[in-house]
Amino acid sequence: MSRAPWWSRLFGQAPTPPPAAEPPPGPAKVRLPRNAAAELPAGALRRPLIGRDGQVAAFEWLLADAARRPLADQQALWAAAAAAPWPALVTLPVRRARDSAVQAALAPGLWLLLDELPDAALATALRACGVQLGAPAGVPVAEPALDFVVATAAGGGTDTLLLAGQRWHEAQPRVHLVALGLTSLDDAEQLLARGYHWAGGRLARAKAAAATATQPLGAAAHRICALLSQLAQDADTAPLAAAVRADVALGYRLLRYANSPAVGLRTPADTVEQAIAVLGRRELTRWLQVLLLAAAASRPAQRALQQHTLMRARLLERLAERRGEPEPGAFFTLGLMSTLEQLLRVPLATVVAPLRLREEAQLALLQGRGPWAGQLVLLEALEDPDESRAWAAAAALGHGAELSDEAEAAWAWASGVDAGG
């Protein structure tokens, strides 16, 4: 039996996204068993790529010190990436791609990005492995035919990437355009609207002009922030219930969530008071925090940023649990708040002001300092083109190889919510 997406079940019907782009040519993706994802080697990380429909469409998979890793580690990464429910982009130097043992280890369905344009013989050999074949977007050529090219952002800005994409489409009209290393979600949205198929980079960062824009906090977001403030002040249930009942849509959504299979009540909650009682304050706080994401004004890549936000929040919470923090949920809140400026399109100080966050969270979010600032440094480093910075940021917090497992679990949680899990 099919289940409605989490967004519609939890928050109501989401706006219908624009039609997805026609998939590029290439071999059909072969799925390996889902449990292959459990075999990820230490040092593996993945980064989201946004598609034209504004949702996460693929992932770029990375392996720390990949050039010095044994083939078994690479094979484990490739198998896990191919087993995932999204297209998986992995990189490989041409010199290694010529090795017959490497070719035999490639998982069918991977989007294989070489570090330079392959010759015709190598392209033929790799296509026989069942991969989608790509190369950097250098000087456009008609041969060999490629499934995708990757343009990496540099000092030239989006105009340079748009021109490169246009030239490649002239040489190979069916090639799939991918942009990496972007410095803001705004750039990604611009490229996706003008011919690119996937875009990735610093998705959680806003451009300076947008970050300083002054807009009022929307009415829905304001009501949710007020409720979160009441919860932070340990308000009685009666005024909380009264505030929820005053918003008919919010009351309906709370009752629907409390009675959903995800909560699993044996006896239905018939009133807002009952829903608040059975959920408990911690779960109610979590529900309102996630609901705050839905209060964002619509933007082309909103759904991708929402999922990315959930991943960031869950990752900080899981790492806090690892460290034995007394309130790991406070780190979930920190991760969630870290992208609200882009989602709500208002200054972060405006969002944070009514929430009565802990001083450590406010210092980290608003001033980039204090004992929790390192948490946000880690989140930023996870989007850096140099993945070694993520490992350095994790080490500064006392974490090591477990970052791979916790990041993967956080992505699984975020995508599981998206799938109705």
Side-chain angles (χ1 to χ4, degrees), residues 110-144:
L110 289 174
W111 290 65
L112 184 66
L113 173 63
L114 301 177
D115 62 347
E116 60 184 83
L117 195 69
D119 57 42
L122 179 58
T124 299
L126 292 173
R127 287 191 184 284
C129 300
V131 301
Q132 304 264 14
L133 189 61
V139 178
V141 295
E143 296 291 340

Side-chain angles (χ1 to χ4, degrees), residues 255-267:
L255 286 170
R256 183 174 59 180
Y257 176 59
N259 289 295
S260 70
V263 176
L265 297 182
R266 292 185 178 181
T267 302

Side-chain angles (χ1 to χ4, degrees), residues 200-270:
R202 295 184 180 276
L203 306 182
R205 175 176 291 181
K207 282 190 172 180
T212 57
T214 301
Q215 300 182 30
L217 193 63
H222 185 81
R223 287 192 293 271
I224 295 168
C225 287
L227 285 167
L228 287 169
S229 178
Q230 287 181 269
L231 283 165
Q233 296 177 72
D234 201 24
D236 292 336
T237 299
L240 280 173
V244 172
R245 284 198 308 270
D247 186 322
V248 175
L250 190 61
Y252 166 72
R253 290 173 177 172
L254 177 60
L255 286 170
R256 183 174 59 180
Y257 176 59
N259 289 295
S260 70
V263 176
L265 297 182
R266 292 185 178 181
T267 302
D270 297 321

Side-chain angles (χ1 to χ4, degrees), residues 247-314:
D247 186 322
V248 175
L250 190 61
Y252 166 72
R253 290 173 177 172
L254 177 60
L255 286 170
R256 183 174 59 180
Y257 176 59
N259 289 295
S260 70
V263 176
L265 297 182
R266 292 185 178 181
T267 302
D270 297 321
T271 67
V272 168
E273 287 84 356
Q274 290 175 354
I276 292 175
V278 298
L279 288 175
R281 288 171 178 262
R282 179 176 178 180
E283 182 65 21
L284 180 62
T285 298
R286 172 70 56 88
W287 178 75
L288 286 168
Q289 288 174 340
V290 177
L291 186 63
L292 189 58
L293 301 185
S298 179
R299 65 179 302 165
Q302 179 174 324
R303 296 293 295 276
L305 184 55
Q306 287 164 346
Q307 185 177 340
H308 195 199
T309 298
L310 292 172
M311 178 272 175
R312 289 159 66 98
R314 182 61 177 142

Side-chain angles (χ1 to χ4, degrees), residues 135-141 149-151 164 167-168:
V139 178
V141 295
V149 292
V150 172
R167 289 174 174 169
W168 269 99

